[in-house]
Amino acid sequence: MTFEVGSARDSAPGSPTHGDRWILYGLLLLLGAAASLTPIRNFDYWWHLASGSWILSHHAVPQSDPFSFTATGTRWIDHEWLFQVLAYLGHAWLGPAALVLLKSAGVLLLGLLLARHLEHEGHGPAGTACLLAPVLLGAAFRFDVRPEMATLFLAPLLLHLVLRARASGSIRRLLAVPPLVALWANLHVGVVVAPAILFLGLAGTLLAERVPWLRERDGSTPQRNPRFTRRLAIVTAASVLAAGLNPYGLRIYAVPFEVSGLLRTLPWPNHEWARPVFEIFPLFWIAVGMSVVFLVIFSRHIDPMTAPAFVLTAVLAAAHLRNIGLFFVLLPYALGRPLRYLADRPPRRLLALGTVGGRIRPGFILA
């Protein structure tokens, strides 16, 4: 595999890397389309449309259940109200096929965002293709016209903004995080992971600053940066409050626990909240196992901001299969740096033989 660091010279027209990027974008387009151009397959779609129609007709967000004849008036925290309005308008004006195309376009944008991060970590096009292929395949079954798509796109975007703010020293990207969380809080309850990701990243950053063993000798891990750490602490606190900028306020934090408790009382299982088994989700468990091995072996080369997010999403996905998509879309952020270090270490002669003078790209073949 070629994991070359991008440069202006390498990306110039006519250079091998420039051609590889076009191959990568073509692979992303094909794989993203295969992973996302699927019919709407969740039964909640019709309920979301009915809710969006109700909100628009009543000019209000429901506070109690207006639909069920057995539980009318039951308290309802409709944490997906904005998605429901947008879905209803899109269905009415454009039709469901257009919504599928919009979903697929969102998946392609997500792929480009992940590819951009891996490029920042120093991966070349072939290495990026190898990392993104299992990500798109593993998360494909969660790509649907449903509110969860907001979480699958906004969680990586949140990490991306924080990492770029750390690298550039600019505060503008950090200032965009709380508004992003506020928007997210009206689209999907997955917003509750945002403050957790930020808090764990802040804790990891503080730990890496104070424990020399966790800092890389080559200096690629940021050293003490009190200004960034203070800013991240403020943004984390602001994001906790920003999640409450929805019609129900901070009660949104209780929703996942209430739903989980309710499902435990049902006489039948809810498959989305079941634990994933290896026979049905082998790629997930293989990805978890290999990721743990890489992070343990290359513990001095992990990112203190992204590694805790990996642990959090791995635990959530191992508990409930509905979180597997979130695990996969954040995987490149956790593994980008350790795998970059690994790619720099193979014997150069073996690498030269494997690439046949640069004319064959094993990374692309594998992807």
Side-chain angles (χ1 to χ4, degrees), residues 264-301:
R264 284 196 295 267
T265 66
L266 297 178
W268 58 85
N270 183 291
H271 295 295
E272 280 201 333
W273 289 76
R275 295 180 182 274
V277 296
F278 183 85
E279 291 77 8
I280 303 177
F281 298 98
L283 183 58
F284 165 68
W285 287 109
I286 292 172
V288 170
M290 294 183 65
S291 300
V292 170
V293 170
F294 287 136
L295 293 179
V296 170
I297 293 177
F298 302 106
S299 57
R300 294 187 60 130
H301 305 278

Side-chain angles (χ1 to χ4, degrees), residues 104-116:
S104 184
V107 171
L108 294 177
L109 288 175
L110 173 63
L112 292 176
L113 178 70
L114 300 180
R116 183 64 175 166

Side-chain angles (χ1 to χ4, degrees), residues 238-282:
S239 297
V240 172
L241 300 176
L245 296 179
N246 65 84
Y248 310 94
L250 296 176
R251 285 187 294 168
I252 193 171
Y253 284 111
V255 171
F257 302 100
E258 292 177 352
V259 173
S260 180
L262 176 64
L263 292 175
R264 284 196 295 267
T265 66
L266 297 178
W268 58 85
N270 183 291
H271 295 295
E272 280 201 333
W273 289 76
R275 295 180 182 274
V277 296
F278 183 85
E279 291 77 8
I280 303 177
F281 298 98

Side-chain angles (χ1 to χ4, degrees), residues 44-270:
D44 291 345
Y45 177 72
W46 305 106
W47 167 56
H48 290 311
L49 294 183
S51 300
S53 176
W54 190 97
I55 293 169
L56 290 173
S57 61
H58 289 79
H59 304 288
V61 177
Q63 300 291 327
S64 59
D65 184 357
F67 300 123
S68 174
F69 70 92
T70 59
T72 301
T74 300
R75 185 176 71 105
W76 180 21
I77 299 179
D78 187 6
H79 49 79
E80 301 161 338
W81 73 271
L82 183 55
F83 170 85
Q84 292 165 347
V85 169
L86 296 175
Y88 175 77
L89 293 176
H91 181 92
W93 294 349
L94 304 174
L99 293 180
V100 171
L101 291 177
L102 288 174
K103 172 200 67 174
S104 184
V107 171
L108 294 177
L109 288 175
L110 173 63
L112 292 176
L113 178 70
L114 300 180
R116 183 64 175 166
H117 168 72
L118 292 173
E119 182 179 336
H120 280 295
E121 289 290 359
H123 288 281
T128 300
C130 284
L131 284 167
L132 291 187
V135 168
L136 291 175
L137 291 173
F141 82 106
R142 303 305 303 173
F143 295 149
D144 204 349
V145 180
R146 57 189 307 165
E148 183 185 359
M149 285 300 300
T151 291
L152 296 183
F153 186 79
L154 295 181
L157 181 58
L158 179 144
L159 268 181
H160 197 86
L161 289 172
V162 174
L163 294 178
R164 300 283 69 76
R166 184 184 67 185
S168 65
S170 171
I171 195 175
R172 290 182 300 170
R173 292 182 175 89
L174 277 179
L175 291 177
V177 170
L180 182 76
V181 172
L183 172 65
W184 190 353
N186 294 278
L187 291 169
H188 187 237
V189 74
V191 69
V192 298
V193 304
I197 288 173
L198 292 171
F199 177 80
L200 291 173
L202 175 62
T205 300
L206 289 170
L207 186 63
E209 289 179 348
R210 285 159 174 77
V211 180
W213 181 79
L214 293 176
R215 295 198 291 267
E216 290 186 271
R217 295 176 183 174
D218 61 8
S220 60
T221 295
Q223 305 299 308
R224 289 182 63 86
N225 187 347
R227 177 180 295 182
F228 170 77
T229 305
R230 286 195 300 269
R231 290 173 175 176
L232 180 59
I234 295 172
V235 166
T236 300
S239 297
V240 172
L241 300 176
L245 296 179
N246 65 84
Y248 310 94
L250 296 176
R251 285 187 294 168
I252 193 171
Y253 284 111
V255 171
F257 302 100
E258 292 177 352
V259 173
S260 180
L262 176 64
L263 292 175
R264 284 196 295 267
T265 66
L266 297 178
W268 58 85
N270 183 291

